[in-house]
Amino acid sequence: MNTIAAKNLHSLRTLTFNIFRYDPKRPEVKPRMDSYQLEEADAMTLFIALNELRETQDPTLQFDFVCRAGICGSSGMLINGVPKLACRVLTKDLPATISLAPLPGFELIGDLSVNTGKWMRGMSERLETWIHTSEQEPDFHKIEQPMEPELSEKLYELERCVECGVCFSACGTAQMRPNFAGAVGLNQMARFQLDPRDERTDADFYEVIGDENGVFGCMTLLGCDDLCPKELPLAQQIAYMRRKMAKTRKGLF
């Protein structure tokens, strides 16, 4: 065995997982924390560890995954009190005792699984996060107007959001105001405000996000910006939309 392999083998640990357990379908069973132990493997992610726990120790353990690569946004959870994606967190970067809990702010499905999709859909319908045009029936055969590469890159940057819910769970405002649009919603509004194909005016956007549940409710605690797994400029987009909406309000009133 070479020196590097021997060093890696020696550094692997026995991990202790304290995992939140509760099934809303069985309200008679109170919420609890269950403990499990697992031998650490080289390059192990929390997603890999949870799968091994479910396969070898407890098949009832509930958590979410799809792509396993930080693209779908399904594996969000509280990891030692911090919202992150389990598939992007290596166990070697954590202490030997790891506490896992569901993301706050979302409907609990069971254990570590929450219904982010229900909240995201409700937010999208409330904010109408799609391109608005005056065309009654769009002509799908018509060639679109060309877009400047710089603008296209700005739109693409904001489109990288995977709607994982991490920013929402990290947001102090969202935990106090259940109707707050959150960084994910305000980021989407910034994206459509930039899009030249969207015919809404700033006054139209103000009607949707120009209040305490929108850009003026953000307390600028920067939890969204610090913890976004895609490193999106969320605080920057909120500040941008707040300035736009402040100017719009001044013009309206």
Side-chain angles (χ1 to χ4, degrees):
M1 183 181 297
N2 60 46
T3 303
I4 295 177
K7 182 178 180 181
N8 288 339
L9 182 62
H10 180 71
S11 62
L12 298 181
R13 307 163 295 173
T14 297
L15 302 174
T16 298
F17 293 88
N18 297 317
I19 301 178
F20 176 86
R21 306 299 307 275
Y22 180 63
D23 186 350
K25 296 179 182 179
R26 300 180 61 196
E28 72 278 5
V29 181
K30 294 182 179 180
R32 66 189 189 277
M33 298 294 288
D34 284 352
S35 293
Y36 305 87
Q37 287 194 326
L38 184 68
E39 292 299 314
E40 188 175 31
D42 190 30
M44 175 181 275
T45 64
L46 273 179
F47 162 77
I48 293 174
L50 284 168
N51 269 279
E52 187 168 339
L53 287 174
R54 185 159 63 182
E55 290 175 6
T56 63
Q57 299 187 37
D58 190 343
T60 68
L61 184 60
Q62 298 183 65
F63 59 93
D64 298 316
F65 70 93
V66 179
C67 74
R68 314 178 189 186
I71 298 173
C72 69
S74 298
S75 66
M77 60 186 66
L78 285 185
I79 302 170
N80 288 342
V82 180
K84 294 181 180 180
L85 293 182
C87 63
R88 292 174 61 98
V89 176
L90 294 170
T91 58
K92 70 179 181 65
D93 296 329
L94 298 170
T97 299
I98 302 168
S99 295
L100 303 177
L103 289 179
F106 298 103
E107 178 184 339
L108 180 67
I109 296 174
D111 300 340
L112 304 176
S113 175
V114 296
N115 195 343
T116 56
K118 180 179 180 180
W119 186 90
M120 293 295 174
R121 178 170 181 169
M123 175 274 298
S124 181
E125 291 175 348
R126 177 163 63 95
L127 301 184
E128 300 186 3
T129 56
W130 54 81
I131 291 176
H132 288 56
T133 69
S134 56
E135 294 182 1
Q136 296 298 321
E137 295 185 6
D139 183 0
F140 295 105
H141 300 286
K142 182 176 65 176
I143 299 177
E144 288 190 356
Q145 290 294 323
M147 186 181 297
E148 290 296 326
E150 294 80 6
L151 178 56
S152 179
E153 289 178 3
K154 289 181 180 179
L155 294 180
Y156 172 73
E157 173 71 4
L158 304 185
E159 284 281 7
R160 291 193 303 106
C161 173
V162 295
E163 297 188 351
C164 61
V166 166
C167 66
F168 189 79
S169 291
C171 176
T173 302
Q175 303 313 311
M176 292 187 291
R177 293 195 178 100
N179 292 323
F180 183 58
V184 57
L186 298 176
N187 177 73
Q188 289 193 27
M189 295 302 277
R191 175 251 181 274
F192 288 107
Q193 197 276 336
L194 285 173
D195 197 320
R197 297 167 296 181
D198 197 308
E199 298 176 2
R200 284 177 288 185
T201 65
D202 286 346
D204 294 327
F205 283 102
Y206 179 85
E207 287 297 317
V208 181
I209 60 171
D211 57 16
E212 293 298 305
N213 289 320
V215 291
F216 299 118
C218 174
M219 297 187 295
T220 321
L221 299 176
L222 302 180
C224 61
D225 209 67
D226 291 339
L227 296 174
C228 175
K230 308 305 287 187
E231 298 183 349
L232 296 177
L234 298 175
Q236 176 182 331
Q237 296 310 310
I238 293 174
Y240 166 77
M241 290 301 290
R242 184 187 287 128
R243 288 194 298 271
K244 294 287 291 186
M245 295 302 98
K247 290 180 180 178
T248 301
R249 180 168 63 181
K250 186 177 180 179
L252 290 173
F253 303 104

